[in-house]
Amino acid sequence: ILLDGLGEKFLITDCGYKAFPTEALTHQPMSAVLNAMQKNGLVAEDLARIHIQTTARGADILSDPSKYDPQTKETADHSLPYCLAAVAADGGVYPNSFCDEKLFDPRIRALLGKIEVVANDEIDAMFPATKRAIATLTTNDGREFSETVDHAKGSPQNPLSDEELINKFRANCDGVIDTARQDAIIEATWNFEGCEDVGAYMKLLVV
């Protein structure tokens, strides 16, 4: 078993990257909202309602009343309503989405009361093989847009693009590694097959 496919099948190609620095079950609903907004040119101020159908866990654990008024980063990054509001307001969720300034951003706070999360029994029956989420966005002028996501952005079935992966790297490096060093790390990583000195590569990563 240990040798089966050795040198032919590389499991790293089946790995996923979290597109967002949040609890895993927030990802499919966030991806669905982001898809709907991007496809239809919507901004936060257009939205009258965000309705989410997801797993019972997502509706219960991640969307209980305390999650609609998060006061700390630890609550916010496990709050499906906050994550949805942040992705709708900013077009993504990043490490700095949980700083105090963002946590109490009026644009994000204004969306929290417009979000409803409900459990869907059919979705629960698919879990955990498929973690479906259905987002329905209603605009102030009465239009409705729905998106269904079975595989979160960053999963092997819905991978990040190279540009998205670089953007995630830069977001995580913000305030820790300067832009010139980030550029050097990116270039060295993309060309890693030609690396002749792993020690020199590792030194690039030292802050």
Side-chain angles (χ1 to χ4, degrees):
I1 293 172
L2 291 175
L3 300 179
D4 184 38
L6 184 65
E8 298 170 0
K9 180 172 176 57
F10 300 93
L11 295 182
I12 195 169
T13 62
D14 294 331
C15 290
Y17 295 90
K18 273 190 168 184
F20 312 109
T22 61
E23 200 280 337
L25 287 178
T26 66
H27 287 217
Q28 286 80 4
M30 292 164 68
S31 296
V33 168
L34 190 59
N35 287 352
M37 295 193 69
Q38 290 178 341
K39 286 181 181 179
N40 299 287
L42 302 176
V43 296
E45 288 73 20
D46 294 327
L47 301 178
R49 185 169 180 255
I50 299 174
H51 183 268
I52 300 294
Q53 299 177 62
T54 185
T55 61
R57 297 181 187 191
D60 180 15
I61 299 172
L62 300 180
S63 304
D64 65 71
S66 70
K67 303 300 195 301
Y68 280 84
D69 186 25
Q71 300 293 309
T72 65
K73 173 192 181 298
E74 289 71 27
T75 302
D77 64 17
H78 282 65
S79 161
L80 180 52
Y82 179 84
C83 292
L84 293 169
V87 83
D90 295 334
V93 172
Y94 313 98
N96 65 4
S97 297
F98 304 100
C99 66
D100 285 347
E101 182 181 356
K102 276 294 177 187
L103 202 55
F104 299 100
D105 183 339
R107 291 186 75 234
I108 293 175
R109 289 280 161 171
L111 289 168
L112 288 171
K114 300 178 180 181
I115 295 169
E116 181 183 12
V117 181
V118 299
N120 179 311
D121 291 340
E122 292 182 3
I123 290 175
D124 249 1
M126 300 177 182
F127 186 85
T130 300
K131 303 177 180 70
R132 175 171 293 176
I134 304 170
T136 303
L137 277 53
T138 306
T139 63
N140 293 318
D141 58 8
R143 292 174 295 156
E144 273 194 2
F145 304 99
S146 289
E147 283 286 327
T148 299
V149 169
D150 286 343
H151 304 288
K153 189 67 177 172
S155 65
Q157 300 90 344
N158 187 14
L160 293 170
S161 67
D162 288 352
E163 182 180 3
E164 289 167 333
L165 195 57
I166 288 172
N167 289 341
K168 176 180 171 68
F169 169 72
R170 291 194 187 279
N172 284 326
C173 289
D174 187 37
V176 180
I177 299 175
D178 63 42
T179 302
R181 178 75 71 86
Q182 292 176 31
D183 292 343
I185 292 170
I186 291 166
E187 182 178 0
T189 302
W190 286 142
N191 295 294
F192 192 74
E193 287 185 356
C195 177
E196 296 179 354
D197 184 350
V198 175
Y201 176 82
M202 295 303 295
K203 285 179 181 179
L204 285 174
L205 310 180
V206 177
V207 177

